[in-house]
Amino acid sequence: MLRTANPPSPRRRRLSGALIAIVAGLFAAGSVFSVSAADPTANVFVDFTAHGQPTSEYSLGGTISTYSDGGTNLIKGSNRTLWTQYLRDLGPLVWRVPLFHHNGQVGSSAGNIHGGNEGEAYVRGIKGIGGIPMIAIGGTTGDNDIRATDAAALVRYFNDNGGQRGGPVVDYIIGNEPDNGFGVGNYIAGGNGSDGFHNIAVAMRQASAQPLSLAGPSLVTWADYKYGDFRQFFASSHADTDVVDFHKYGDGQPLGNLGATSQYGDAIAWLRNEIDLSFGDRANGIAIQVGEFNYHTRYDEQWRNSFYTSRNVVHTASVIGHVLRAGGSAYQYSDNNGPLGLISDGTDLNDQPGGRHVRLPAYWGVSAWSGGAWSRRYGQRMVAATTAVPDLEVFATDNAKKIVLINKSETTDRQAVLALTGKSSGTYTAWRYGRGMDPANFTSGAQFLPPVKIATARAFSQGRVVVSVPWMSVVVINVD
């Protein structure tokens, strides 16, 4: 049977290789900026005319944790209203949700809690907050023992009759971290309860009248010791894959993770090169997504000053910036998973505030880019943005014009004097995600609170904007 994969969706299409090379040169070359000799203090440079990678509605998102009936997820029960409010406040995002279909049951396929019958509720909940559901398909008993007939039934469950039970759903990830005990070979070719990636993909596409977007291989991480697994998957499954999905959790250092967020951009650059080598004439339409990212994979006491302080606001905002600048999509893990969540789960486990649902620092790191109820959403194109100021990062978008400044220093405030090319005058509005370094201050710690507006429609001229960026803080600027 002839195999056909989805044509690339315009909203996920990447720049051509030639154009990327040109833009990369502009990003790196100081000559694209004109700094007035009359203003030698400029130390941050943003060129709104030097367009880099496009963004889309798929560029930013998170994961909906799922638990079987009786679990604590905020999508259901007495906390549903609060869950809806908090996640809607982030604005429309992609929400990855792990589900399975087996013997007529459609429910959670998450890890050790595999069951329930709430697939429809999750998808309706995601769409109810303006989100895009992206289903990570699980197997009969675990993440990867997937039968092609069950995967096809899951597609039909949501997509028959033009969309039903909260559907249609067109975005799917096949399996989850098969390199974590299941076996990459089994995941690709079949075995250990799986029918294999190709057979699953073919069955899913045949089950839907609408074109589907299928992602894999969702490996545990990107690192040199994983290169062989990626290449094995690309060699065997490139014709069935529309999106390359991988996971990455920090750099394993409680404090040092902040200095390693550029690795996310490195990962996307490496994967893009491998895609160009393996996918033939389809390579230009293949998207890349970080299907899960977080500060670390787990929590214990040594991570308290990471997850529960502004380090995680800074880390999250920085990861997203590097991913978007490299042309990928960034999906935080997850909405409700203890310290790794966007919202605390209401228990007193893992040093959380018992009886309360607090928006955790990672939530605010996501909101720096999503805008939501506070500032502007990221624009349609990343643009050239550079600085030589130590520990200071800058990212920016055009259409709409938005700048994200991140101070990773543990000790030093910075004054950012921005030289803007392509916008010599106008107004700007700015918000600061303040520093909060006491991990127990869940009531008034700045890391648990919304950003503070520090400038409202303030006029600027000669392309100069000046803002203070205290140590361990994030400043977001809308330029009009």
Side-chain angles (χ1 to χ4, degrees):
M1 181 179 295
L2 178 65
R3 287 190 290 166
T4 59
N6 282 358
S9 169
R11 65 192 177 190
R12 296 183 71 113
R13 195 185 304 272
R14 73 180 183 100
L15 294 175
S16 70
L19 185 53
I20 287 176
I22 293 171
V23 171
L26 291 175
F27 271 61
S31 59
V32 301
F33 303 109
S34 57
V35 182
S36 169
D39 187 4
T41 61
N43 57 15
V44 176
F45 307 96
V46 175
D47 188 345
F48 291 115
T49 70
H51 285 178
Q53 292 285 357
T55 63
S56 76
E57 61 189 329
Y58 284 89
S59 293
L60 186 58
T63 297
I64 301 297
S65 296
T66 60
Y67 302 91
S68 61
D69 292 323
T72 62
N73 191 278
L74 302 182
I75 197 172
K76 63 185 185 223
S78 61
N79 294 309
R80 181 179 298 180
T81 300
L82 186 64
W83 179 91
T84 300
Q85 174 194 329
Y86 280 174
L87 296 191
R88 182 184 286 122
D89 282 349
L90 286 174
L93 300 174
V94 173
W95 290 103
R96 176 181 171 274
V97 57
L99 299 176
F100 82 118
H101 187 292
H102 186 63
N103 289 337
Q105 183 182 30
V106 178
S108 169
S109 64
N112 296 325
I113 308 178
H114 200 86
N117 198 22
E118 300 173 317
E120 179 178 349
Y122 283 114
V123 169
R124 288 191 183 278
I126 290 168
K127 289 193 174 184
I129 58 174
I132 298 173
M134 178 178 288
I135 295 177
I137 300 176
T140 306
T141 62
D143 287 342
N144 298 294
D145 55 340
I146 304 167
R147 295 302 184 188
T149 53
D150 285 339
L154 183 66
V155 171
R156 289 194 296 270
Y157 182 86
F158 289 112
N159 290 9
D160 278 0
N161 303 312
Q164 58 188 8
R165 302 185 182 92
V169 178
V170 298
D171 297 291
Y172 296 87
I173 306 166
I174 297 176
N176 180 67
E177 299 185 354
D179 52 332
N180 189 15
F182 185 79
V184 173
N186 295 324
Y187 173 76
I188 295 171
N192 200 15
S194 169
D195 284 335
F197 193 91
H198 169 64
N199 292 330
I200 295 166
V202 169
M204 291 177 66
R205 295 193 199 279
Q206 290 177 340
S208 179
Q210 297 174 300
L212 303 180
S213 174
L214 303 184
S218 301
L219 299 186
V220 169
T221 192
W222 170 82
D224 56 5
Y225 62 90
K226 293 293 181 182
Y227 288 177
D229 288 341
F230 279 111
R231 286 168 175 156
Q232 181 183 356
F233 175 80
F234 292 161
S236 301
S237 305
H238 59 85
D240 297 306
T241 306
D242 304 303
V243 182
V244 171
D245 179 285
F246 73 102
H247 301 172
K248 181 168 170 54
Y249 284 75
D251 192 46
Q253 305 175 62
L255 304 185
N257 275 4
L258 294 185
T261 53
S262 62
Q263 291 178 1
Y264 286 83
D266 297 340
I268 292 169
W270 185 88
L271 289 166
R272 177 58 62 198
N273 183 67
E274 294 295 317
I275 290 167
D276 288 343
L277 293 173
S278 300
F279 282 67
D281 58 6
R282 297 186 61 239
N284 196 54
I286 302 301
I288 301 174
Q289 64 190 35
V290 187
E292 293 183 13
F293 80 86
N294 210 310
Y295 200 98
H296 192 56
T297 58
R298 55 184 169 75
Y299 180 84
D300 58 42
E301 188 176 358
Q302 69 173 321
W303 298 94
R304 190 165 180 257
N305 286 311
S306 304
F307 281 105
Y308 293 137
T309 69
S310 287
R311 287 187 183 90
N312 210 9
V313 182
V314 167
H315 183 269
T316 302
S318 179
V319 167
I320 295 169
H322 283 286
V323 171
L324 268 57
R325 186 160 66 187
S329 297
Y331 302 152
Q332 193 272 351
Y333 185 87
S334 61
D335 68 325
N336 178 37
N337 190 24
L340 277 70
L342 297 174
I343 306 162
S344 67
D345 61 19
T347 73
D348 60 0
L349 300 175
N350 299 307
D351 300 316
Q352 294 179 106
R356 297 178 58 198
H357 294 294
V358 175
R359 289 171 289 190
L360 297 173
Y363 179 103
W364 299 113
V366 171
S367 79
W369 283 96
S370 68
W374 297 277
S375 63
R376 171 176 291 164
R377 185 178 175 86
Y378 58 87
Q380 295 180 3
R381 290 273 182 174
M382 300 298 291
V383 301
T386 62
T387 180
V389 178
D391 297 316
L392 188 68
E393 288 185 337
V394 56
F395 303 95
T397 66
D398 190 28
N399 195 21
K401 292 178 171 60
K402 174 171 180 160
I403 301 168
V404 179
L405 292 158
I406 302 168
N407 188 349
K408 293 180 172 181
S409 174
E410 297 272 357
T411 58
T412 306
D413 297 342
R414 299 296 184 187
Q415 184 180 58
V417 182
L418 288 86
L420 308 182
T421 298
K423 186 66 176 175
S424 60
S425 63
T427 62
Y428 71 93
T429 300
W431 292 258
R432 179 180 295 133
Y433 292 82
R435 178 175 65 249
M437 304 305 288
D438 178 358
N441 189 7
F442 290 99
T443 301
S444 58
Q447 72 271 37
F448 302 113
L449 298 175
V452 175
K453 187 179 286 188
I454 58 174
T456 303
R458 185 172 298 172
F460 70 94
S461 61
Q462 298 182 339
R464 293 295 182 267
V465 171
V466 181
V467 295
S468 174
V469 190
W471 61 269
M472 209 57 66
S473 73
V474 176
V475 170
V476 172
I477 304 173
N478 295 348
V479 180
D480 295 299

